[in-house]
Amino acid sequence: MNKSTGNGVSDPSEVRGFLGGDARAIAPLILGAVLTHRSDAGPVSVRLTEVEAYMGPRDSEHPDPGSHTFGGPTARNSPMFGPPGFLYVYFTYGMHYCANIVCGADGAPSALLLRAGEIVEGEELAAVRRPASKAHKDLASGPARLASALGLTTADTGRDALAEPFSLWLPGTPVAAVASGPRVGVAGPGGTTEYPWRFWIEDDPTVSRYKAARPRNRSTAG
DNA sequence: CTCCGGATCCTCT
DNA sequence: GAGGATCCGGAGG
């Protein structure tokens, strides 16, 4: 007997083996997985409904300008160059955090950006962390929302998502209805339909609404 | 419902 | 020094 729970897989070494492959292939299979963070304030669990794959600079067939690793290793992106199953959390727009799960072999950087999910445990705590959210389905319906609901910050970057205080449960059978399309907020080649590396559960209400990348205003124009 | 601008600071060049 | 793998509230239909 292995340590599988019900129809799913919770054994960390099994899960890590699963994450050691191509992020684009893993993405549709990780939908429906449940990521749990047990903080001092209590546990919060999210059922993943939307992810995006980001590849490394070594993939010459599919160079990925949208990836944080495109320019090579830096202090910030170093977790992506490590083994699979670890968190890569970054700070953006001066106020938001976004969380990835590192995929691929050690040294072959790729990751899945956790774009949306449904809170399946710890809804009360998630709601405290997300005071602006007025509906259950919006508690984690966006990458920064999901990170906030789980209480993730850059303090968590580089930490193992498969060990305490985190855990990741994989469904035994893949989600049936998976859709894919261009990644959100990615400008340039990486944002075109040539790179349909955003995957989501079809018709799931927690999936974030698609918004194309928009040029930003220059506040100091003139 | 849609559109739009402001918030706010870390990160890399 | 510029810009970002975003979110939220307000205005208008």
Side-chain angles (χ1 to χ4, degrees), chain A residues 3 9-19 162:
Chain A
K3 296 178 188 171
V9 178
S10 57
D11 177 50
S13 67
E14 280 188 58
V15 175
R16 205 179 308 280
F18 166 78
L19 295 172
L162 312 184

Side-chain angles (χ1 to χ4, degrees), chain A residues 27-210:
Chain A
L29 303 176
I30 206 173
L31 295 175
V34 176
L35 175 64
T36 299
H37 179 207
R38 296 175 190 82
S39 74
D40 293 339
V44 171
S45 296
V46 172
R47 170 183 152 263
L48 302 177
T49 59
E50 178 186 358
V51 299
E52 277 176 2
Y54 286 85
M55 305 305 291
R58 292 187 189 176
D59 189 344
S60 54
E61 268 188 58
H62 302 281
D64 188 1
S67 174
H68 285 180
T69 63
F70 190 65
T74 66
R76 179 177 66 159
N77 66 24
S78 62
M80 284 188 66
F81 289 82
F86 287 71
L87 294 170
Y88 166 49
V89 185
Y90 66 92
F91 181 69
T92 191
Y93 289 104
M95 66 192 84
H96 296 306
Y97 300 98
C98 296
N100 297 252
I101 293 181
V102 174
C103 294
D106 193 352
S110 71
L112 292 173
L113 171 67
L114 309 181
R115 280 203 56 91
E118 179 192 8
I119 304 296
V120 294
E121 180 189 19
E123 169 144 7
E124 197 173 327
L125 175 55
V128 169
R129 290 168 172 164
R130 296 261 310 111
S133 173
K134 294 179 172 59
H136 167 79
K137 67 184 172 79
D138 288 329
L139 285 169
S141 61
R145 292 174 174 184
L146 187 153
S148 179
L150 277 178
L152 297 174
T153 71
T154 45
D156 298 298
T157 198
R159 289 188 175 159
D160 191 350
L162 312 184
E164 291 298 327
F166 301 99
S167 62
L168 181 63
W169 175 91
L170 298 177
T173 57
V175 170
V178 174
S180 66
R183 295 177 296 184
V184 176
V186 178
T192 68
T193 52
E194 195 180 344
Y195 292 75
W197 297 347
R198 172 183 179 233
F199 299 83
W200 65 93
I201 298 178
E202 216 162 6
D203 298 326
D204 192 294
T206 66
V207 170
S208 70
R209 192 186 167 285
Y210 177 75

